[in-house]
Amino acid sequence: MTAKRDGWVVAGMFIAATSAAIASFTGLRGLAMLSGWPERLAILLPVTIDAYAMTAARVWLSGANPRRAVRFARANAIGAITTSIVGNAVYHAAAADLIIVTWPVVVAVGAVPAAVLGLTAHLHAVRTAEDTPEPGPTPKPTVRTEDELLTAARDADTRHRAANNGRPITRDALRTELRISGPRATALRRQLAAESQAPERKEAHTN
């Protein structure tokens, strides 16, 4: 059953989100200007951080994405929101003359656009990639007895003769068919040849 929307809750969420976005925008824009960005370009810092936070959160909360993309998006959404919080805190602390904006802050602020560009490209790549299942335990190889190998070799020889005008199977074909080593294929091929010659010898001896 779908829950009925509460108009007051929706209105409160809209007002809170709007005021938070404006306050965050102002703080990050001010931080960009304190870090030496031109006034006309300072708005790009909050736009970059907040847009990436919304993009990553969208991928995170959507269940239609691969698991790798969801995990990566969750980490980046939290990281972008944390970056916005820290950026606003630094701006207000600097505006209140509690700290001085020095070169580490300038370098960190200047690196934001390039970092977000790389993260966005990676997020797009993992989002469009197919999800691969978690690797399971490696199955143990099947160990066949000599009798089982001989039986399989006889069956392979019978199929080969039927498809090749009665010609016996070769050593290489036997090795490929049974997925065995060369020496073992040679030994089985000799045994098959001996079995095929036995009736002929018996018939010649009788005559």
Side-chain angles (χ1 to χ4, degrees):
M1 182 178 180
T2 304
K4 185 178 180 180
R5 290 188 176 182
D6 189 329
W8 287 105
V9 173
V10 174
M13 290 174 59
F14 176 78
I15 294 172
T18 302
S19 60
I22 293 174
S24 176
F25 184 93
T26 302
L28 292 176
R29 178 178 177 273
L31 178 62
M33 293 176 63
L34 290 177
S35 301
W37 289 33
E39 184 176 357
R40 67 181 183 279
L41 299 179
I43 61 172
L44 295 179
L45 180 63
V47 169
T48 300
I49 295 175
D50 292 343
Y52 186 65
M54 289 187 294
T55 302
R58 171 63 179 171
V59 176
W60 171 20
L61 298 177
S62 175
N65 295 297
R67 285 172 292 180
R68 284 195 309 148
V70 171
R71 291 194 295 265
F72 183 77
R74 179 175 63 243
N76 280 266
I78 296 173
I81 294 171
T82 303
T83 300
S84 180
I85 294 172
V86 172
N88 277 276
V90 171
Y91 167 72
H92 289 294
D97 294 328
L98 297 177
I99 63 172
I100 299 175
V101 176
T102 56
W103 70 266
V105 176
V106 175
V107 171
V109 172
V112 167
V116 170
L117 176 61
L119 292 171
T120 303
H122 186 69
L123 178 61
H124 174 71
V126 297
R127 183 177 182 271
T128 55
E130 294 183 0
D131 197 12
T132 55
E134 296 294 334
T138 303
K140 295 182 179 180
T142 303
V143 179
R144 292 176 289 186
T145 64
E146 291 298 328
D147 290 340
E148 290 173 340
L149 280 175
L150 182 58
T151 301
R154 289 168 180 160
D155 294 340
D157 182 56
T158 300
R159 291 192 299 271
H160 189 275
R161 288 175 183 271
N164 294 275
N165 298 322
R167 290 195 298 271
I169 192 170
T170 63
R171 182 192 74 94
D172 291 337
L174 191 62
R175 179 170 59 86
T176 302
E177 181 76 16
L178 302 184
R179 297 180 180 180
I180 56 179
S181 64
R184 177 166 289 187
T186 300
L188 287 172
R189 178 68 186 85
R190 289 174 180 172
Q191 192 165 354
L192 291 176
E195 289 179 354
S196 64
Q197 293 173 1
E200 297 177 359
R201 292 175 181 174
K202 183 176 181 180
E203 182 178 355
H205 180 72
T206 302
N207 294 334

